[in-house]
Structure formats: C-alpha cells, structure tokens
C-alpha cells in the first residue's frame, strides 16, 4: 500500500506551483465567497485501509496481580486518495485573495494522500469493501489482454500484487460500481436458473461496458486514481439492499471451512442456491472473474461467495452503520464469515490476502466477529499464513491477527498463542523488512502482551529479537559507536512505539520478567539512549517515551534486591529494624529494604552528608546493561523528563523511577537520593505536586518521601515542600482542590509524616502552613479510614514534640485534637490491614518508636501498595477507580480545576506558552511540537 | 458548501473552501538540526476541543501554536494561530500530530512550502466580497 501511495505523493509534491488551493477541511465558514475565485472539481476516492486500525491496550501489572490498563483509543484510519482539479479563475481587481500574487492560472491536478479518521458514519461508509471487488478490479485490468482467460497469466501478471495493493484494501470503494456486468465470457450462461433472482432484477439496471479502458495496454504501475475513474464519493448512496437477502438465505449445515475447501476446484454453479442469482451484480462480477479460472481449470471458492449471504454477516452481530449503508446496494454482496475463512486457504494467494484483509475489516471493533472467527478456527489459519512467502499474504494475515488480538476477550489472545502465533510473529519479524508488516507484528504483540499469562511467552520467544530488531536500531544506540559518526537520535516510529509498549507490558510480570529484561543484551542501554535523545530533542510527550520510561521504572523496581551482586552494596544491617516493630507484615517480602535507614537520625544524615564529598564508586569500565538503571547519571535524565514532559503517564513513571531508585537500602540508593538534591531535582519534584494529575502527585509525593531518607533532603523538603503537600490535602469545604483520590491523599499524608518524623523543625513548618486544621478535619471527619488513620498519625507525631505544644495551644488546639483520633483508626484496621505501617496505631508517638517507623519508611507508602509493598508499578484497578472518581468530580469541581490549571501555567513558565490544555488525566495530552 | 452540522463540521470528500496563503520557510541550521522556528498543535489524534485557535472545535487540523521571534517562520510571515493546510503539497488537514511534525522536519528538505489559512485572511476576503 504505501509504495503505491508514495508515487502519488510524489506527484503531489511536484505540483505545488499553485497559490490558492482548496483543501477539504472544516473551513466552511467562508465557503460562500470562494465561488468567484475558483471552480473546483473534486473527485475523491476513499479507501479503507484495514491495516491502519490501531488498537492497543497497554497494561502494566504489578506483582500482586492488580493491573492497570491503559487503553489507547482505537482509531480507525481511512486512506483517502483525492484527485482534485482546481481551475483558478482570475481574481477581481480588488485582488484580495491574492496574498501571493503569483497565482498561476490554468489548472493543475493535485493528488493528495490523506488519512481520515473514522469520525462518524460518513467517514465509515467508504470502508465497506469486499474481497470480491478487489479481485475484480485487478482482473479488470488484465482481462482485456488475457481474455482467453488463462489462470496462469492472471496470477503471474506482473504487478498484480502491487495492483491489488494499491487499492488499499478490498476497496469496493468508490468507483467500482459494477458497470459491466454481463460483458464477457463464453462460459457464463445467463439462463442458468439457479443464478437468477427476479426480485432483484429491476435493481440491476442496464448492462454497461466497462468504463475502464479496455484494450488499452494498462500500465499497472500508474497511480490508481487515473486508472479507475472514480465516481465522486458515492458510497453513501450505495444502496445495497439488506433485508431482502435474509429470507433467501439458508445456512447450509454442512457449510464449513472444511467443506468449502474440499469443494474448491469443483464448479459449484449448478448447486441449487435459493434466492441468489447472477443478476446480483456482485455475482456478476464473480462470473467474470471466474472465467479465467474456469478456463484454466480453476474453480475458486472466491468465485462462489454467492453461496453464502450477507445475511449471515448480518447475523454475526451488530454491524457498523457503514456496512449497513453499503449493503443497501443490491448489487453487492459480501461473503459470509465461513466463506471468508475458507478463502484463507484458497490456493490463489491474492484470494488469501484479500480474505485476510477483509477479515481484518470485519473484526474491527467487533468482538462478536472476532469470537466467531475463533470458533470457526480461523486463527490457526491466519497464523499459518504468517509464514507465507508472499508479503501481501503475511501482511494481511498479520493485520487480521492484530485486530483479533485486540480487545478484552483474552480468549482470542490465547487462541493466537495456542497455535504458536507468538513464535510465528517473531519469526516473521526477523524475516521481513517491510515497515508496515513490522508495525502489524509489533502491534499484535503489544495487544497480546496485555494478557498476563502471555507475557512470559512473549519474553521467552521474542525479547531478544524485539530488542535487536526494533528497540536497538530505532533507539539510535550503538553498542560500539563509530568514532566518526555522530550519535544517532531515536526514531519514534510506530514499530518502536508498539514494541516498547509490548515490553512495557511484559516488564510488569514479576521478578523473573524484570530479570530477563534487565539482562537482555542492549535493552537498557538502548532505552536510555532513546530517552536521552528524547530529552535532547525536547520531544518527551510521545507514547514511545512514555513506554520507555515505564519500562525503566518497572526495571528499577527492587533493583537493590534483584540485580546480581546487589548484596555487595547493601548498607547497614538490614535486619536491625525488622526486630523492633511488631506489626510489620511486610517483613517477609521486604526485609531487605526495611532496615536500611533505620538510623534515620544522625547516622543517616551523616552518611548522606558525607556523600556530598564522596565520589561515586570507582569503575574500571563504563557501566552498561542493567547497571545503568541505578547509576546516578539517570537522575539527570529523569529530572529532565520531569521538567519537560507534559504527558502525565510519563511524568508519573519518571517520578516512579526515582521513587524506586531511592527506596533501596543499598549504596546506590544513597547516591541517588543525594544526586537528586545535587541536580536540583527537589524543586522539580515539588513543583509537580501542583500537577493536575492525581497519579503524578502521588508518585511525586512518594518519591519525596523516599528521598527524605536523606537527612538533608528531609530538611529541604520540610522547608520548601510542606506548603505544596498541605495544599493537596482536602479541606473542610471540599475533598480537595483537585479532588484527589484517597490513595493520593494517603500518600501525601504519609509523606508529611515522614518529613516531620524526627524533625521538629519540619513539624513546625507544618503548623505554619496551616496544616493542622486540615489534618484535624481529616482525622475527625474523613470518610476514608485510611486517611483518618494517616492524618492521626501525623497529629500524634506533632503532639509528641513538646516544644511545639505552646505554639499549638496558642492556635487554639489542645491535646484532644491530637489524641482523640487514635481510637477510630483502630476500629478500621481491617481496611488498612495490608500494611504494617498503618496498623501500628499507637497512642501519641514518641521518639522511641521512630525506629519502627523508619523501618517502614523506605517502603513506599504502604497504604498505596499491594501486599508487595512499594512500587510504582501500575495498578490497573487503581487507574480505573481513579478515572471513575475523576469523571464524577468533573462537573462539580470544574472551577477549582481551572484555577489550578492557571496556577500551574503561571508557575511553569518553561512550559508551552500556548497551553491547549484543560488538563485532565483522561484526555490525551495535547501535544505541541517545535519544528 | 455551508457549515456542517454539529459533530461533523465538514463532509469528507466534499470540497471545502478556504483562503490560503503560501508561505515558504527556509530552515535554519542550528547545530545538527534544521529548524523552522515554530511549533504546531493539533492533529487527528489530538483533542480538538483543546485547540484555542480553531473556530470550530471539532477541527482536528494542524495549527501554529508558537512562533520563535526572529526565527525562519516569523521571517516568512507565519503567525500564531495559522492553520496549516499543506506542507510541500502534502495535506495536513487529516494527519496525526506526529505525521505533521515529521512532514515538517524532513532532514533532507531545506525549504518547506506551507499553505496556511488564517481567520484574519478569511475575514479580509469576506469583507471585500461583501463590499
């Protein structure tokens, strides 16, 4: 497809000698005054490209099985070929429109390749397409020359593949009203009663000769629009009838794939077929098409689709309006699903590929048909076609598989896996250089990777291939850079996006998956290179970057415990704190990261302070592979992303990566924490506390909590971030300015707790930022037991600083405000039972208990996390929940939100000066790219 | 033509008219990169309602969102809010954001010719026609 379209595009490029130009767009407002200037004749052909529908689900899953699902909206693309002739009429003397006086007179033809988003019925209509038509078109070209109808010449016709290719798909698109029904061949016998359907006859209309220039030697390489004389966009009017067929249709009980196949080669025209006739134009075409086959001794199933009925497709489920409208044309009939699947095994390759393409079209956004394809055993056939030598065939098969693999029905994914579809896809990826095929393969794999049980299968079969074939080359990374050549930038191709999305999904499949990815040669190196390139080009909002950062974040999870040799870097005695607290349920998982910084006080501070004068460990050679994950160098990268990106998912992931890296109790975490400070990362993070995105606030808040294990970080965060943290808390009037989710509120509360722990100075700043009022309100009246408990912990902590009590009492607070709450949380223990931290509901905390707290502190907010404790690995459920809440809050909170956005814009002057955003998490981020 | 109904502002395939201006920008070499000195927003994969420049909030076209002072685009006369209809003959009214960006940043093209339309332009024409 692309190849042919390219030709036209080049054509278009050369014709830019015009000045005034009309372009289909929604500039309707000034239409009236256009008349005098130009006359426009426009013919547009729209073709569906079944390869383009892109449907991706990215799901990242945490180890505990909760998953987050991000579903990229499915967009269906329709390729449009426009042939437009504009005759320019001289302008009036006022010459106003002559912005550029040189407007050439005369006419030109401009061909534009255009993609239409599916956007309502009118868009869709052209999609309807049928395999039959397409073959028909092709045949048409060759027919005049090979009238004798040898099969061989037909198939061997040079350029055939290209030809059908260039029609994009099954386009029974616009120009293909069958104008030439009965024209030809001797073998057709119109009196054959079984092919007559009187009721349709009146619809049939006059038999016309082909309008395609018969007899002229057709240059198959010409660009199409010239060839097929499209009618102007006539598909809406295509009034193929619908219901009529239904009665005539009988589902042959024997009608199955197998049956079809065995009957291939046997002319079936004599077979009684109720209510179907060759005067149905589609069948008429089929007759023509069949002629060569018959001459050549071929009776192809393709030639017999009349057997079924579109009625069967009607029964397959709700059709899109477009199909309905197409169907209104009584002259066309689509093959039904069993027929299409049978055609996949047809001996003629173009039939196979057309059938696969049509299948892809049928499956688009139609779960019922996907399921039917599965039940009809179509999936193994499609997978089998992946190994087909002809690009056309494996491409279309892959396209069909991509649509089938998309969606919530995991059975389809499993079916692909069960017939070894994953290794077949990987095999094809190694073999093909066709970019489109690679996009389809990786898109399919992305879809498959969203289903938990397939993740490890993908890793086992495809990890290194995906890395070598896609990630490394597209990232621009070179393992042995040539000194002469400049470092290459990453290319954000669709293939890269798909592949990174796939790896993002599989990277969440637990410790073993992480290990495999970390140890995959070149993967981490290439991802880092790609991200650095993104930062360098200030192109950090796109999906590929998001995927890369998410992979990095996931791979950074538990590095301090999971990478080989990690034990060499462990600091302090990990076991120390686990002994102190009685309620640490997380011990079993995370004993290692518990103890670490138990000596939160001086010892820790000293150690971190020392780091400022310490050099990083000496290395004999540059870090590579997974070591790069936790080198302090990555801090700058993540901070750049946090500064630049406007993609909330990317921001969350980058903050999550810092959170993961700063969580550990090994030497590298200590370096990371200090590096964030030295790279001036704290202000970056604090600023992001203003984000409109719940999950960004949450990730940043947790990262700050981990970072405050470093004593100096804690002091700084206490002084500078307290205000922002408190601002994120719900106040009496409303849940919070941003209507933050419970999880986020709890995360913020836990961060505040951490910051004031062991620091009466920070507790004092909390009082100064009017935090007490909010905390008391939460502890007294929050609907959420987790919030209540977290707030009361803070209050207890504050009261434990005797030196602050005077100030507190001056403000009108008394002991009861800080104490009374402790009972309530106890009652609600059940809810928060997943975290030891929450359960340690103590009376007023005093310093002696800090140890326990500190033990839990490098665990990211336990409240947030599943049983496995901290991580920012996505939680699908939470995401969903969040979205729901967010939607609900949308109406009522609109004003505050807007204010928030404004505030953010003012503060973040380095952001786009033109802000297209009313930024809500749910909406796709408006992108703004410098060029 | 006339205005389309709500939701579909225009009918695909039907001619829609616009007054366009041709702008030729010579890229500026900046380090390794050739830059045009403006930024774009919009595209069929973007949320059109967030586009502050479009009159019709269903318009998924590519719009100029920022123009660098003194940059090649400004010199060539490009203005904030211009809607880009074509780039070197390529249609830009039905492309994704990224496709538009790529189309503008071809490394082997030192000059880009844009067809843009802008409201002021159209109003001027409109007025002249009425008078």
């Amino acid at each position: 497809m692309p190849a042919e379209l390219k030709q036209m595009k080049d054509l278009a490029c050369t014709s830019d000698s015009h000045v005034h130009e009309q372009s289909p767009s929604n500039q309707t407002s000034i239409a009236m005054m256009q008349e005098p200037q130009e006359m426009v004749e426009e013919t547009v052909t729209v073709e569906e490209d079944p390869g383009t529908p892109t449907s991706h689900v990215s799901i990242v899953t945490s180890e505990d099985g909760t998953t987050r699902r991000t579903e990229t909206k499915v967009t269906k693309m329709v390729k449009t070929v426009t042939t437009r002739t504009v005759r320019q009429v001289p302008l009036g003397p006022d010459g106003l429109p002559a912005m550029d006086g040189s407007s050439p007179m005369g006419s030109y033809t401009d061909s534009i390749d255009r993609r239409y988003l599916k956007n309502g019925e009118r868009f869709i209509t052209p999609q309807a397409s049928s395999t039959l038509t397409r073959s028909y078109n092709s045949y048409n070209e060759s027919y005049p020359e090979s009238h004798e109808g040898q099969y061989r010449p037909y198939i061997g016709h040079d350029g055939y593949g290209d030809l059908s290719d260039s029609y994009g798909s099954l386009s029974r698109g616009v120009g293909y009203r069958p104008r030439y029904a009965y024209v030809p061949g001797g073998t057709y016998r119109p009196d054959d009663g079984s092919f007559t359907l009187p009721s349709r006859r009146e619809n049939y209309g006059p038999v016309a000769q082909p309008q395609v220039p018969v007899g002229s030697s057709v240059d198959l390489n010409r660009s199409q629009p010239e060839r097929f004389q499209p009618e102007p966009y006539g598909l809406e009017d295509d009034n193929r009838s619908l219901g009529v067929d239904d009665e005539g249709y009988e589902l042959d009980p024997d009608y199955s794939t197998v049956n079809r196949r065995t009957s291939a080669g046997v002319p079936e025209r004599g077979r009684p077929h109720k209510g179907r006739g060759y005067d149905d134009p589609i069948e008429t075409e089929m007759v023509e098409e069949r002629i060569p086959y018959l001459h050549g001794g071929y009776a192809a199933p393709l030639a017999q689709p009349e057997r079924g009925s579109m009625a069967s497709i009607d029964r397959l489920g709700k059709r899109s309006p477009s199909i309905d409208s197409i169907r209104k044309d009584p002259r066309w009939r689509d093959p039904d699903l069993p027929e299409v699947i049978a055609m996949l095994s047809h001996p003629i390759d173009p039939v196979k590929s057309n059938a696969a393409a049509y299948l892809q079209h049928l499956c688009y956004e139609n779960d019922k048909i996907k399921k039917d394809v599965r039940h009809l055993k179509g999936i193994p056939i499609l997978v089998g076609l992946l190994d087909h030598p002809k690009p056309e065939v494996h491409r279309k098969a892959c396209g069909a598989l991509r649509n089938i693999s998309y969606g919530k029905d995991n059975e389809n994914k499993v079916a692909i896996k069960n017939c070894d579809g994953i290794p077949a896809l990987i095999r094809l990826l190694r073999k093909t250089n066709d970019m489109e095929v690679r996009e389809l393969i990786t898109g399919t794999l992305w879809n498959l990777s969203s289903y938990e049980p397939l993740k490890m299968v993908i890793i086992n079969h495809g990890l290194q291939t995906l890395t070598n074939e896609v990630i490394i080359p597209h990232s621009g990374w070179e393992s042995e850079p040539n000194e002469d050549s400049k470092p290459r930038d990453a290319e954000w191709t669709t293939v890269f996006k798909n592949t990174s999305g796939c790896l993002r999904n599989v990277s969440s499949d637990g410790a073993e998956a992480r290990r495999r990815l970390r140890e995959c040669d070149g993967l981490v190196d290439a991802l880092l290179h790609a991200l650095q390139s993104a930062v360098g080009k200030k192109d950090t909002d796109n999906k590929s970057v998001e995927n890369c950062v998410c992979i990095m974040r996931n791979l950074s999870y538990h590095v301090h415990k999971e990478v080989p040799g990690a034990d060499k870097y462990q600091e302090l005695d990990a076991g120390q704190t686990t002994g102190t607290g009685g309620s640490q349920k997380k011990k079993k998982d995370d004993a290692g990261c518990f103890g670490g910084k138990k000596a939160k006080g001086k010892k820790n501070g000293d150690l971190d302070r020392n780091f400022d004068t310490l050099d990083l460990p000496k290395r004999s050679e540059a870090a590579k592979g997974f070591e790069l994950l936790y080198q302090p160098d990555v801090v700058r990268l993540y901070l750049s992303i946090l500064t630049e990106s406007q993609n909330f998912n990317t921001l969350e992931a980058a903050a999550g990566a810092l959170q993961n890296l700063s969580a550990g109790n090994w030497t590298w975490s200590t370096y990371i924490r200090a590096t964030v400070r030295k790279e001036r990362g704290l202000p970056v993070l604090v600023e992001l506390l203003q984000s409109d995105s719940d999950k960004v606030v949450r990730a940043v808040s947790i990262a700050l909590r981990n970072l405050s294990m470093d004593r100096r970080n804690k002091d700084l965060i206490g002084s500078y971030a307290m205000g922002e943290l408190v601002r994120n808390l719900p106040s009496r009037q409303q849940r919070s300015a941003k209507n933050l989710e419970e999880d986020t509120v709890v995360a913020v509360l836990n961060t505040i707790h951490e910051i004031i722990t062991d620091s009466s100075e920070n507790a004092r700043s909390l009082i100064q930022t009017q935090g007490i009022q909010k905390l008391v309100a939460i502890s007294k009246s929050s609907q959420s037991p987790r919030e209540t408990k977290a707030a009361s912990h803070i209050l207890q902590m504050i009261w434990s600083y005797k030196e602050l009590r005077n100030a507190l009492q001056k403000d009108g607070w008394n002991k009861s405000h800080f104490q009374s709450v402790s009972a309530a949380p106890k009652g609600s223990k059940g809810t928060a039972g997943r975290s030891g931290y929450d359960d340690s509901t103590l009376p007023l905390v005093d310093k002696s208990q800090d140890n326990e707290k500190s033990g839990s502190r490098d665990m990211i907010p336990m409240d947030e996390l599943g049983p496995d404790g901290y991580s920012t690995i996505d939680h699908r459920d939470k995401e969903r929940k969040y979205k729901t809440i967010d939607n609900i809050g949308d109406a009522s909170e609109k004003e505050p939100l807007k204010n928030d956005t404004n505030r953010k814009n003012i503060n973040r002057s380095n952001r786009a000066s033109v802000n297209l955003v009313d930024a809500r998490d749910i909406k796709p981020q408006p992108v703004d790219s410098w060029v | 033509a006339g205005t389309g109904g709500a939701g579909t502002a225009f009918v695909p395939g039907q001619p829609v008219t616009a007054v366009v201006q041709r702008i030729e920008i010579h890229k500026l070499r900046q380090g390794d990169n050739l830059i045009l000195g403006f930024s774009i927003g919009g595209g069929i994969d973007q949320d059109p309602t967030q586009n502050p420049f479009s009159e019709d909030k269903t318009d998924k076209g590519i719009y100029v969102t920022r123009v660098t002072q003194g940059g090649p685009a400004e010199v060539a006369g490009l203005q904030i809010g211009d809607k880009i209809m074509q780039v070197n003959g390529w249609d830009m009214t039905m492309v994704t954001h990224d496709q538009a960006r790529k189309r503008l940043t071809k490394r082997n093209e030192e000059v880009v010719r844009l067809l843009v339309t802008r409201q002021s332009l159209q109003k001027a024409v409109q007025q002249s026609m009425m008078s």
Side-chain angles (χ1 to χ4, degrees):
Chain A
M1 251 164 276
E4 286 70 29
L5 287 168
K6 280 252 169 57
Q7 289 185 331
M8 300 198 345
K9 286 174 182 174
D10 291 341
L11 255 179
C13 287
T14 60
S15 67
D16 58 349
S17 55
H18 51 277
V19 177
H20 300 285
E21 156 70 12
Q22 295 193 331
S23 207
S25 77
N26 20 6
Q27 304 292 316
T28 47
S29 52
I30 50 127
M32 25 84 63
M33 72 229 179
Q34 274 306 307
E35 299 296 324
Q37 297 163 42
E38 322 182 334
M39 283 171 47
V40 177
E41 295 167 2
E42 183 165 69
T43 50
V44 180
T45 306
V46 180
E47 303 176 4
E48 178 203 6
D49 172 9
T52 20
T54 309
S55 14
H56 300 303
V57 187
S58 335
I59 296 179
V60 185
T61 316
S62 70
E63 287 180 320
D64 59 17
T66 48
T67 50
R68 157 184 300 178
R69 178 192 193 89
T70 347
E71 190 151 335
T72 319
K73 189 165 167 45
V74 183
T75 53
K76 182 164 191 173
M77 313 285 289
V78 178
K79 268 185 193 157
T80 308
V81 180
T82 307
T83 311
R84 183 187 302 131
T85 312
V86 179
R87 275 201 296 276
Q88 290 190 312
V89 173
L91 299 171
D94 52 1
L96 239 174
M99 300 93 208
D100 179 345
S102 64
S103 91
M105 311 283 275
S107 67
Y108 58 88
T109 303
D110 190 6
S111 302
I112 298 172
D113 170 77
R114 184 172 300 152
R115 282 161 180 264
Y116 277 17
L117 241 202
K118 170 186 170 191
N119 189 19
E121 269 191 51
R122 312 239 355 175
F123 265 133
I124 311 178
T125 28
Q127 293 164 5
S129 46
S130 102
T131 317
L132 314 173
T133 320
R134 182 152 160 217
S135 312
Y136 169 63
N137 293 335
S138 311
Y139 166 64
N140 232 347
E141 296 292 354
S142 52
Y143 180 70
E145 293 160 12
S146 54
H147 202 200
E148 291 313 315
Q150 292 308 309
Y151 170 64
R152 189 180 307 276
Y154 169 66
I155 210 178
H157 199 302
D158 252 352
Y160 173 81
D162 290 339
L163 184 63
S164 47
D165 240 6
S166 56
Y167 286 113
S169 59
L170 311 180
S171 61
R172 66 185 230 83
V174 180
Y176 290 93
R177 308 300 190 77
R179 302 180 179 103
Y180 26 115
Y182 289 92
V183 185
T187 44
Y188 174 60
R189 295 179 303 277
D191 55 341
D192 184 335
S194 59
F195 300 119
T196 312
L197 179 61
S199 66
R200 286 261 188 92
R201 192 146 283 183
E202 61 270 20
N203 286 337
Y204 182 52
V207 175
Q209 289 297 316
Q211 293 185 3
V212 179
V214 182
S216 68
S217 66
V218 182
D219 174 8
L220 290 174
N221 292 321
R222 261 162 44 189
S223 66
Q224 313 152 26
E226 303 165 54
R227 232 189 300 128
F228 60 68
Q229 311 275 330
E231 283 177 1
Y233 209 73
L235 269 178
E236 301 85 336
D237 307 325
D238 194 1
N239 55 348
R240 207 143 40 121
S241 76
L242 285 180
V244 190
D245 299 300
D246 291 359
E247 44 196 285
Y249 176 77
E250 273 182 7
L251 190 60
D252 184 336
D254 291 327
Y255 192 79
S256 68
T257 308
V258 178
N259 197 21
R260 297 288 307 181
R261 272 203 258 175
T262 52
S263 67
V266 182
E268 291 194 6
R269 303 165 80 212
R271 189 172 162 187
H273 188 52
K274 190 160 141 196
R276 292 246 133 229
Y278 268 134
D279 52 352
D280 184 337
I282 214 167
E283 284 139 324
T284 306
E285 290 170 19
M286 294 317 305
V287 173
E288 288 186 9
E289 197 164 54
R290 183 185 309 184
I291 294 161
Y293 296 130
L294 291 177
H295 278 257
Y298 246 106
L302 176 61
Q304 302 148 357
E306 59 274 24
R307 219 116 280 279
S309 157
M310 58 181 130
S312 66
I313 289 183
D314 291 3
R315 287 171 195 165
L316 290 174
K318 191 118 179 81
R319 282 172 286 101
S320 72
S322 62
I323 299 179
D324 281 325
S325 61
I326 297 283
R327 235 173 234 141
K328 286 179 192 140
D329 185 341
R331 296 169 299 180
W332 295 87
R333 184 187 74 77
D334 295 328
D336 66 10
L337 199 54
E339 283 172 320
V340 177
I341 289 171
M343 287 179 207
L344 292 173
S345 307
H346 192 274
I348 299 175
D349 291 335
V351 177
K352 287 190 187 106
S353 64
N354 286 339
Y358 186 49
L359 206 51
Q360 173 178 17
H361 165 72
L362 290 177
C363 288
Y364 175 72
E365 281 196 335
N366 190 329
D367 291 341
K368 173 74 167 64
I369 290 194
K370 289 177 198 173
K371 196 169 146 206
D372 290 340
V373 171
R374 187 177 81 232
H375 288 150
L376 291 166
K377 308 275 185 276
I379 291 177
I381 305 175
L382 286 168
V383 167
L385 291 179
L386 291 177
D387 287 321
H388 196 284
K390 285 230 170 78
E392 189 53 27
V393 177
H394 61 236
R395 175 189 304 149
K396 300 297 188 205
C398 199
L401 285 171
R402 184 172 71 173
N403 277 5
I404 290 170
S405 64
Y406 173 75
K408 294 198 178 77
D409 190 349
N410 290 325
E411 297 281 311
N412 294 331
K413 301 182 176 80
V414 172
I416 292 174
K417 177 232 152 193
N418 283 346
C419 54
D420 289 328
I422 292 172
L425 286 163
I426 297 293
R427 215 161 37 235
L428 182 55
L429 180 66
R430 275 196 221 105
K431 234 167 20 189
T432 184
N433 286 317
D434 181 329
M435 208 37 100
E436 188 192 339
V437 176
R438 289 177 152 234
E439 287 176 10
L440 292 168
I441 295 168
T442 51
T444 309
L445 288 169
W446 191 359
N447 287 341
L448 294 176
S449 69
S450 66
Y451 185 48
E452 288 334 276
L454 303 188
K455 291 182 177 181
M456 207 39 101
V457 184
I458 292 172
I459 290 176
N460 288 336
H461 287 102
L463 176 58
Q464 195 66 55
T465 302
L466 288 169
T467 303
N468 292 345
E469 293 284 336
V470 181
I471 297 291
I472 291 177
H474 291 249
S475 73
W477 177 72
E478 287 160 72
S479 58
E480 287 165 2
N482 181 348
E483 305 237 329
D484 303 332
S485 62
K486 290 182 180 146
R488 290 191 297 131
D489 277 324
E491 300 160 2
W492 306 123
T493 56
T494 306
V495 176
F496 185 84
K497 179 181 74 183
N498 292 349
T499 307
S500 56
C502 174
L503 294 182
R504 170 183 174 180
N505 281 346
V506 302
S507 70
S508 66
D509 199 33
E512 175 63 10
R514 288 194 294 272
R515 187 184 68 76
R516 297 285 296 276
L517 265 70
R518 285 184 195 125
E519 294 173 8
C520 175
D521 269 348
L523 177 60
V524 173
D525 314 64
L527 290 174
L528 270 174
H529 183 92
L531 287 175
Q532 254 135 14
S533 156
V535 166
K537 291 165 74 181
K538 298 203 183 301
D539 184 9
T540 51
D541 295 335
N542 65 55
K543 186 76 179 175
S544 295
V545 169
E546 176 187 322
N547 289 338
C548 291
V549 182
C550 283
I551 300 170
M552 292 293 289
R553 183 257 316 267
N554 286 350
L555 297 187
S556 301
Y557 176 77
H558 277 185
V559 268
H560 59 284
K561 295 198 303 190
E562 293 176 357
V563 303
D567 47 339
K568 280 185 296 192
Y569 294 102
Q570 300 303 311
E571 289 191 338
L572 305 176
D573 35 344
Q576 196 165 334
T577 41
T578 52
T580 58
S583 58
Q584 294 179 358
K585 294 182 180 172
K586 317 182 69 70
K587 226 184 296 180
K588 64 176 186 339
D589 288 330
D590 289 308
C593 54
F594 253 1
K597 296 302 162 180
K598 85 125 206 184
K600 53 177 49 183
K602 288 169 197 148
K603 188 174 178 189
N604 193 9
D606 289 347
L607 188 128
D608 283 327
R609 226 165 260 140
N610 288 341
F611 171 61
D612 283 352
T613 58
L614 271 181
D615 282 328
L616 295 173
K618 300 276 186 286
R619 302 193 142 272
S620 51
E621 52 190 84
K624 64 178 201 291
F626 64 78
E627 295 170 333
L628 294 168
L629 287 169
Y630 47 83
Q631 298 305 305
D633 308 343
V634 298
V635 168
R636 190 174 302 173
L637 174 67
Y638 291 132
L639 291 176
S640 301
I641 292 168
L642 288 169
T643 309
E644 292 292 332
S645 182
Q646 302 202 51
N647 177 330
F648 288 144
N649 295 326
T650 303
L651 291 173
E652 182 205 14
L658 288 178
Q659 170 193 344
N660 284 343
L661 292 174
S662 56
N665 61 331
W666 66 342
T667 313
W668 293 108
S669 300
T670 309
Y671 295 146
I672 294 283
R673 290 189 285 264
T675 306
V676 171
R677 177 177 68 252
K678 295 205 294 189
E679 294 284 344
R680 302 181 184 282
L682 294 176
V684 173
L685 289 165
V686 171
E687 191 183 349
L688 283 168
L689 286 173
Q690 301 170 12
S691 169
D692 297 312
S693 163
D694 203 291
K695 61 193 177 192
V696 173
V697 173
R698 185 160 64 227
V700 167
S701 166
I702 300 166
L704 287 171
R705 179 178 175 191
N706 286 343
L707 288 167
S708 69
M709 276 191 275
D710 175 305
R711 182 69 202 196
R712 288 181 59 192
N713 284 350
K714 176 181 278 192
D715 294 343
L716 289 166
I717 293 169
S719 314
Y720 298 107
M722 193 63 84
E724 284 304 332
L725 288 166
V726 169
R727 214 162 298 164
N728 277 301
L729 294 177
S731 67
R732 220 180 279 277
Q733 290 76 25
Q734 51 191 11
R735 255 193 67 75
S736 103
K738 298 182 213 169
N739 197 25
L740 293 180
E741 193 185 341
E742 178 192 43
D743 277 341
T744 309
V745 173
V746 171
V748 171
L749 289 170
N750 285 343
T751 302
I752 293 174
H753 183 273
E754 182 58 49
I755 293 169
I756 64 165
T757 299
D758 205 31
S759 169
S760 64
E761 266 319 295
N762 288 348
R764 196 180 298 277
S765 16
L766 176 60
I767 296 168
Q768 284 158 1
T769 56
Q770 313 299 315
I772 305 299
Q773 192 175 358
K774 281 185 169 183
L775 289 166
V776 169
I778 295 169
S779 74
K780 294 257 191 282
S781 59
S782 170
Q783 301 295 307
S784 154
R786 294 171 56 215
E787 288 178 14
T788 306
K789 183 182 290 185
S792 61
H793 278 152
I794 298 173
L795 291 170
Q796 291 164 21
M797 175 72 74
I798 293 169
W799 194 251
S800 74
Y801 293 111
K802 297 199 174 67
E803 61 269 39
L804 299 179
R805 287 183 190 170
N806 268 344
L808 289 169
Q809 280 157 347
K810 233 179 268 172
D811 287 346
W813 305 107
N814 61 52
K815 188 175 179 182
S816 70
H817 291 112
F818 300 88
Q819 259 184 325
S820 61
V821 288
S822 57
K826 261 184 181 147
S828 61
K829 215 180 247 180
T831 338
R834 41 184 171 148
S835 129
Y837 181 66
D838 257 355
D839 286 346
S840 60
T841 313
L842 304 165
L844 292 177
V845 175
D846 71 36
K847 305 269 174 77
S848 67
Q849 280 162 317
D850 280 356
N851 283 349
E852 187 205 346
K853 299 270 175 177
S854 74
S856 59
R857 78 155 99 181
D858 70 348
M859 314 297 317
I860 300 193
M862 334 221 151
D863 296 311
E864 296 263 294
L865 313 165
D868 188 47
Y870 73 115
S871 104
T872 61
I873 294 189
D874 302 333
H875 294 246
R876 188 198 323 190
D877 291 342
K878 289 185 178 168
E879 175 78 355
R880 285 224 183 99
K881 184 168 141 206
Y882 165 61
K883 285 188 172 173
T884 318
I885 289 172
D886 204 50
N887 281 331
I888 291 166
D890 198 25
S892 56
E893 299 288 344
K894 208 146 205 163
E895 281 318 301
L897 274 166
K898 271 189 180 151
N899 293 341
D900 234 59
T901 309
N902 293 338
R903 177 164 60 97
K904 174 179 168 178
N905 292 343
I906 293 161
N907 290 342
R908 313 205 72 175
S909 50
N910 58 334
R911 292 294 164 93
S913 58
V914 179
N915 197 331
L916 302 174
V917 195
D918 168 18
R920 305 304 312 269
D921 228 359
I922 299 158
K923 289 185 187 168
Q925 282 288 288
V927 184
D928 194 63
S929 312
W930 281 105
V931 290
Chain B
T3 41
T8 47
F10 62 100
V11 179
Q14 294 301 307
V16 181
T17 51
V19 186
V20 292
Q21 174 163 357
R22 183 176 175 190
I23 289 179
E24 185 172 299
I25 308 177
H26 294 260
K27 292 184 183 174
L28 183 68
R29 184 161 290 283
Q30 203 174 68
D32 289 341
N33 299 321
L34 287 171
I35 62 151
L36 286 160
F38 68 98
S39 73
I40 54 167
I44 57 176
D45 55 342
Q46 303 292 310
D47 180 0
T49 62
Q50 300 184 34
N51 180 346
F53 302 111
S54 59
E55 208 163 1
D56 171 352
K57 290 305 172 198
T58 63
D59 181 359
K60 296 183 174 179
I62 301 293
Y63 280 77
V64 176
T65 55
R66 289 174 283 178
V67 178
T68 309
Q69 278 201 348
E74 192 187 47
V75 169
L78 196 68
Q79 296 177 14
I80 284 186
D82 285 355
K83 176 175 176 177
I84 302 180
M85 311 296 280
Q86 288 191 6
V87 174
N88 288 346
W90 293 72
D91 175 70
M92 287 294 123
T93 65
M94 280 291 160
V95 293
T96 63
H97 184 88
D98 219 43
Q99 285 167 335
R101 190 183 54 75
K102 283 183 187 145
R103 187 45 63 196
L104 287 160
T105 54
K106 292 270 173 221
R107 280 175 179 275
N108 55 356
E109 292 173 353
E110 305 227 328
V111 178
V112 296
R113 295 184 184 85
L114 306 182
L115 285 180
V116 304
T117 181
R118 70 178 64 119
Q119 280 166 26
S120 58
L121 213 61
Q122 308 213 349
K123 286 193 180 110
V125 175
Q126 209 158 8
Q127 277 162 12
S128 76
M129 313 267 313
M130 303 232 203
S131 57

